[in-house]
mmCIF file of all heavy atoms in Angstrom:
data_model
loop_
_atom_site.group_PDB
_atom_site.id
_atom_site.type_symbol
_atom_site.label_atom_id
_atom_site.label_comp_id
_atom_site.label_asym_id
_atom_site.label_seq_id
_atom_site.Cartn_x
_atom_site.Cartn_y
_atom_site.Cartn_z
ATOM 1 N N LYS A 25 -12.261 12.945 30.620
ATOM 2 C CA LYS A 25 -13.096 12.026 29.860
ATOM 3 C C LYS A 25 -12.241 11.111 28.978
ATOM 4 O O LYS A 25 -12.483 9.908 28.881
ATOM 5 C CB LYS A 25 -14.064 12.834 28.997
ATOM 6 C CG LYS A 25 -15.310 12.073 28.600
ATOM 7 C CD LYS A 25 -16.201 12.873 27.678
ATOM 8 C CE LYS A 25 -16.687 14.163 28.275
ATOM 9 N NZ LYS A 25 -17.590 14.900 27.389
ATOM 10 N N GLU A 26 -11.223 11.669 28.349
ATOM 11 C CA GLU A 26 -10.341 10.878 27.491
ATOM 12 C C GLU A 26 -9.582 9.833 28.292
ATOM 13 O O GLU A 26 -9.441 8.689 27.861
ATOM 14 C CB GLU A 26 -9.347 11.784 26.768
ATOM 15 C CG GLU A 26 -9.947 12.581 25.642
ATOM 16 C CD GLU A 26 -8.921 13.455 24.956
ATOM 17 O OE1 GLU A 26 -7.710 13.148 25.040
ATOM 18 O OE2 GLU A 26 -9.329 14.445 24.328
ATOM 19 N N LEU A 27 -9.082 10.229 29.468
ATOM 20 C CA LEU A 27 -8.359 9.275 30.309
ATOM 21 C C LEU A 27 -9.259 8.127 30.741
ATOM 22 O O LEU A 27 -8.834 6.964 30.752
ATOM 23 C CB LEU A 27 -7.778 9.981 31.536
ATOM 24 C CG LEU A 27 -6.531 10.815 31.283
ATOM 25 C CD1 LEU A 27 -6.154 11.596 32.528
ATOM 26 C CD2 LEU A 27 -5.385 9.920 30.859
ATOM 27 N N MET A 28 -10.499 8.441 31.105
ATOM 28 C CA MET A 28 -11.434 7.395 31.504
ATOM 29 C C MET A 28 -11.692 6.437 30.343
ATOM 30 O O MET A 28 -11.694 5.214 30.515
ATOM 31 C CB MET A 28 -12.748 8.001 31.995
ATOM 32 C CG MET A 28 -12.649 8.632 33.374
ATOM 33 S SD MET A 28 -14.145 9.469 33.909
ATOM 34 C CE MET A 28 -15.443 8.351 33.473
ATOM 35 N N MET A 29 -11.884 6.994 29.154
ATOM 36 C CA MET A 29 -12.138 6.150 27.987
ATOM 37 C C MET A 29 -10.927 5.276 27.666
ATOM 38 O O MET A 29 -11.067 4.083 27.376
ATOM 39 C CB MET A 29 -12.500 7.011 26.779
ATOM 40 C CG MET A 29 -13.892 7.591 26.851
ATOM 41 S SD MET A 29 -14.271 8.704 25.499
ATOM 42 C CE MET A 29 -14.110 7.629 24.093
ATOM 43 N N LEU A 30 -9.732 5.841 27.728
ATOM 44 C CA LEU A 30 -8.523 5.067 27.457
ATOM 45 C C LEU A 30 -8.358 3.933 28.467
ATOM 46 O O LEU A 30 -7.989 2.816 28.105
ATOM 47 C CB LEU A 30 -7.297 5.973 27.483
ATOM 48 C CG LEU A 30 -7.130 6.888 26.271
ATOM 49 C CD1 LEU A 30 -5.987 7.861 26.516
ATOM 50 C CD2 LEU A 30 -6.873 6.086 25.030
ATOM 51 N N ASN A 31 -8.633 4.230 29.736
ATOM 52 C CA ASN A 31 -8.514 3.191 30.762
ATOM 53 C C ASN A 31 -9.508 2.058 30.532
ATOM 54 O O ASN A 31 -9.157 0.878 30.694
ATOM 55 C CB ASN A 31 -8.711 3.789 32.153
ATOM 56 C CG ASN A 31 -7.509 4.610 32.576
ATOM 57 O OD1 ASN A 31 -6.400 4.366 32.124
ATOM 58 N ND2 ASN A 31 -7.733 5.593 33.430
ATOM 59 N N THR A 32 -10.734 2.380 30.136
ATOM 60 C CA THR A 32 -11.713 1.318 29.876
ATOM 61 C C THR A 32 -11.299 0.478 28.673
ATOM 62 O O THR A 32 -11.445 -0.746 28.681
ATOM 63 C CB THR A 32 -13.124 1.893 29.639
ATOM 64 O OG1 THR A 32 -13.077 2.840 28.577
ATOM 65 C CG2 THR A 32 -13.665 2.559 30.886
ATOM 66 N N VAL A 33 -10.746 1.128 27.647
ATOM 67 C CA VAL A 33 -10.289 0.393 26.467
ATOM 68 C C VAL A 33 -9.153 -0.554 26.841
ATOM 69 O O VAL A 33 -9.121 -1.716 26.414
ATOM 70 C CB VAL A 33 -9.848 1.373 25.350
ATOM 71 C CG1 VAL A 33 -9.094 0.663 24.252
ATOM 72 C CG2 VAL A 33 -11.041 2.107 24.805
ATOM 73 N N ILE A 34 -8.229 -0.078 27.662
ATOM 74 C CA ILE A 34 -7.102 -0.910 28.092
ATOM 75 C C ILE A 34 -7.588 -2.097 28.910
ATOM 76 O O ILE A 34 -7.117 -3.225 28.742
ATOM 77 C CB ILE A 34 -6.078 -0.059 28.872
ATOM 78 C CG1 ILE A 34 -5.374 0.898 27.914
ATOM 79 C CG2 ILE A 34 -5.054 -0.941 29.570
ATOM 80 C CD1 ILE A 34 -4.506 1.927 28.602
ATOM 81 N N GLU A 35 -8.550 -1.861 29.808
ATOM 82 C CA GLU A 35 -9.090 -2.958 30.617
ATOM 83 C C GLU A 35 -9.768 -4.001 29.740
ATOM 84 O O GLU A 35 -9.565 -5.209 29.926
ATOM 85 C CB GLU A 35 -10.080 -2.411 31.644
ATOM 86 C CG GLU A 35 -9.434 -1.635 32.769
ATOM 87 C CD GLU A 35 -10.453 -0.970 33.689
ATOM 88 O OE1 GLU A 35 -11.656 -1.257 33.559
ATOM 89 O OE2 GLU A 35 -10.027 -0.169 34.529
ATOM 90 N N LYS A 36 -10.559 -3.552 28.777
ATOM 91 C CA LYS A 36 -11.235 -4.490 27.882
ATOM 92 C C LYS A 36 -10.223 -5.292 27.076
ATOM 93 O O LYS A 36 -10.380 -6.496 26.867
ATOM 94 C CB LYS A 36 -12.170 -3.748 26.937
ATOM 95 C CG LYS A 36 -13.425 -3.253 27.599
ATOM 96 C CD LYS A 36 -14.313 -2.532 26.610
ATOM 97 C CE LYS A 36 -15.547 -1.965 27.280
ATOM 98 N NZ LYS A 36 -16.397 -1.223 26.322
ATOM 99 N N ARG A 37 -9.170 -4.608 26.628
ATOM 100 C CA ARG A 37 -8.130 -5.285 25.855
ATOM 101 C C ARG A 37 -7.440 -6.359 26.682
ATOM 102 O O ARG A 37 -7.208 -7.473 26.214
ATOM 103 C CB ARG A 37 -7.110 -4.263 25.355
ATOM 104 C CG ARG A 37 -5.995 -4.861 24.545
ATOM 105 C CD ARG A 37 -5.035 -3.779 24.069
ATOM 106 N NE ARG A 37 -3.861 -4.357 23.526
ATOM 107 C CZ ARG A 37 -2.726 -4.588 24.202
ATOM 108 N NH1 ARG A 37 -2.651 -4.241 25.467
ATOM 109 N NH2 ARG A 37 -1.686 -5.133 23.625
ATOM 110 N N ASN A 38 -7.124 -6.021 27.930
ATOM 111 C CA ASN A 38 -6.469 -6.987 28.803
ATOM 112 C C ASN A 38 -7.363 -8.189 29.069
ATOM 113 O O ASN A 38 -6.891 -9.333 29.101
ATOM 114 C CB ASN A 38 -6.066 -6.318 30.120
ATOM 115 C CG ASN A 38 -4.910 -5.357 29.928
ATOM 116 O OD1 ASN A 38 -4.166 -5.458 28.963
ATOM 117 N ND2 ASN A 38 -4.771 -4.413 30.840
#
Side-chain angles (χ1 to χ4, degrees):
K25 203 184 300 182
E26 286 180 23
L27 284 173
M28 286 175 44
M29 286 175 61
L30 286 172
N31 287 333
T32 56
V33 167
I34 290 171
E35 288 174 10
K36 286 180 183 178
R37 180 179 169 266
N38 289 339

